Amino acid sequence: MSVAKQAKVTMPRRWCHKVETVVLSLVGFSCLLFLLQSPKHSPLLEVADSPGPPTTTAPQAPEPLPECRLNASVANLTGFAELPDHIKDFLRYRHCRAFPLLLDLPGKCGAPEASHQVFLLLAVKSSPDNYERREIIRKTWGQERTFAGVHIRRIFLSGVAANAQEARKLNQLLRLEHAEHGDILQWGFVDSFFNLTLKQVLFHAWLESRCPGVRFVFNGDDDVFANTDNMAQYLLGVPGAGDQHLFVGHLITNVGPIREKWSKYYVPEQVTASNSYPPYCGGGGLLMSGYTCHAIYQQSLGIQLFPIDDVYLGMCLEKAGLAPASHIGVRMVGVRVPSSKLESFDPCYYRELLMVHRFVPYEMLVMWEAIHQPDLVCGKNVAVYQSL
């Protein structure tokens, strides 16, 4: 075949290929536009955008609250620039008390007018990432049950992780726990050491609204071992059934602010000029009556937030004219044994106590099972949990 004839044959084929390419490109582009503009009804898209738990169990979105703006005037305080960042933030936002309740428990105590039927409410302060601690507490001393004819209920008090990425995951974790166990109270503030007082104040406000008739409250950390059997027995012997003042724990007196910056409890003069604290009970774990819970709430309305939560409770008690008291069954520094040859983890030391600080999760489980063994025999039975 000549060159001229080859040209007549090949040119139409090239042209056809170009037309096909253009048509296919237009079709593909049109499909892409359709996918981008169409509503997300594709099952794959719905799975990717799913919020997690079904809408029947997911909590309702909290009502938006006015944003609390930082107090820029604190920068004028003498020495403010030299303060650690967490103390600067505390001073900037000290006035902020209104935060959305992300997870609520409106029926934990039943209707407010029937909440007097809750004898002991276990209110445990727990950071969002302390999942293992919460699970062990649910299985051991934090079980919701009826003991000696009285009702024991449980809630965990939590905020939000500081890191936004971690907060998204941990908020989902708390929602799952909330759906399964119904025991999470979560507010939309950063869960930090200096915000424990804020957590305490919000909890007392929740009590006033949801559980005003509760008889007694155990308020403690999630790393304590609490013998709730002994707590109930002790409280059953307290006069007034929660209608009189009670605030007991590890009593601390004649102390004041730590001024050394290296300390976790460092409180500079920009926060308080006073060099002394009122008497208070260590925040690791304490018992208070419903009467005292209400008094603390009332006084907290007029006392500005203080970064150390147990000291703040002491301030509220002092203003109310009430005093904290010591209980020998509350051990904030563990159990001291009479000899180094003895095992300090012996359940005989814990069977008669109210609370011991601190325990890792597996120790809680082991000790809870040990003190409930029917064949446990101890050399001496001293009921230290009796009212003093």
Side-chain angles (χ1 to χ4, degrees):
M1 183 180 295
S2 65
V3 175
K5 288 183 178 181
Q6 287 181 355
K8 289 180 181 180
V9 175
T10 57
M11 286 180 63
R13 288 180 181 175
R14 292 176 181 173
W15 182 84
C16 289
H17 286 312
K18 290 181 179 179
V19 171
E20 289 176 358
T21 301
V22 172
V23 172
L24 290 174
S25 299
L26 290 173
V27 171
F29 184 68
S30 300
C31 292
L32 180 61
L33 286 176
F34 175 77
L35 289 173
L36 291 174
Q37 295 177 1
S38 62
K40 295 180 179 181
H41 293 306
S42 166
L44 292 177
L45 292 174
E46 287 181 357
V47 170
D49 292 345
S50 173
T55 55
T56 54
T57 59
Q60 296 181 353
E63 296 182 2
L65 294 172
E67 181 182 0
C68 184
R69 300 184 181 277
L70 66 84
N71 178 12
S73 66
V74 296
N76 298 324
L77 294 173
T78 303
F80 180 84
E82 288 74 40
L83 294 175
D85 288 341
H86 68 284
I87 294 180
K88 289 180 180 178
D89 284 339
F90 174 80
L91 290 170
R92 290 177 181 128
Y93 295 98
R94 189 179 197 173
H95 59 288
C96 300
R97 292 189 179 214
F99 291 86
L101 188 54
L102 305 180
L103 295 173
D104 193 7
L105 296 167
K108 174 58 68 172
C109 298
E113 59 273 15
S115 58
H116 63 277
Q117 297 178 16
V118 177
F119 182 77
L120 176 58
L121 179 65
L122 309 174
V124 185
K125 294 169 284 186
S126 183
S127 296
D129 58 342
N130 288 349
Y131 170 74
E132 184 181 2
R133 294 182 185 179
R134 292 190 292 273
E135 279 293 278
I136 292 295
I137 289 172
R138 291 174 179 126
K139 295 177 180 179
T140 58
W141 60 264
Q143 296 174 48
E144 295 195 312
R145 56 201 170 108
T146 299
F147 177 82
V150 297
H151 300 302
I152 300 175
R153 296 292 179 264
R154 172 194 70 240
I155 57 176
F156 292 102
L157 313 176
S158 192
V160 176
N163 179 275
Q165 184 176 0
E166 285 298 308
R168 284 191 292 271
K169 292 185 292 184
L170 291 171
N171 285 354
Q172 178 66 1
L173 170 65
L174 292 178
R175 286 194 292 267
L176 292 172
E177 292 182 60
H178 183 79
E180 181 177 359
H181 301 288
D183 60 3
I184 302 291
L185 273 178
Q186 185 192 23
W187 291 270
F189 64 84
V190 173
D191 201 305
S192 65
F193 178 70
F194 265 29
N195 276 344
L196 286 175
T197 302
L198 176 61
K199 184 183 289 187
Q200 190 75 40
V201 167
L202 291 173
F203 165 62
H204 281 272
W206 180 88
L207 274 180
E208 289 290 308
S209 172
R210 301 297 198 193
C211 201
V214 65
R215 299 297 186 178
F216 298 97
V217 171
F218 169 71
N219 204 179
D221 296 339
D222 60 7
D223 61 349
V224 304
F225 177 78
N227 192 329
T228 42
D229 297 357
N230 288 350
M231 284 185 186
Q233 293 285 10
Y234 161 67
L235 294 171
L236 282 168
V238 171
D243 294 332
Q244 299 178 21
H245 169 58
L246 177 77
F247 193 95
V248 298
H250 177 80
L251 184 64
I252 301 173
T253 60
N254 301 316
V255 298
I258 295 176
R259 303 298 192 188
E260 287 78 18
K261 290 186 177 181
W262 53 263
S263 174
K264 175 183 178 181
Y265 302 94
Y266 169 57
V267 176
E269 293 183 351
Q270 290 85 347
V271 174
T272 179
S274 174
N275 289 319
S276 64
Y277 289 152
Y280 66 96
C281 288
L286 51 88
L287 283 167
M288 54 183 140
S289 65
Y291 173 92
T292 304
C293 287
H294 178 72
I296 289 172
Y297 169 73
Q298 292 293 332
Q299 300 304 324
S300 70
L301 298 177
I303 302 177
Q304 66 177 174
L305 298 182
F306 189 78
I308 313 298
D309 59 331
D310 44 15
V311 174
Y312 184 82
L313 291 177
M315 293 175 175
C316 292
L317 291 176
E318 183 180 53
K319 187 176 179 181
L322 304 173
S326 176
H327 195 295
I328 195 173
V330 177
R331 306 294 176 88
M332 294 299 296
V333 291
V335 173
R336 295 181 180 179
V337 297
S339 171
S340 60
K341 297 180 180 180
L342 298 176
E343 171 58 58
S344 63
F345 201 69
D346 188 328
C348 289
Y349 294 120
Y350 295 85
R351 190 175 63 173
E352 306 298 332
L353 299 176
L354 298 186
M355 189 219 77
V356 180
H357 192 223
R358 349 178 134 195
F359 268 50
V360 297
Y362 85 85
E363 290 177 329
M364 290 186 197
L365 181 58
V366 171
M367 184 56 68
W368 182 257
E369 293 297 322
I371 65 174
H372 286 90
Q373 291 299 316
D375 57 349
L376 176 63
V377 177
C378 297
K380 187 177 181 180
N381 185 9
V382 181
V384 300
Y385 56 84
Q386 295 300 318
S387 180
L388 301 179

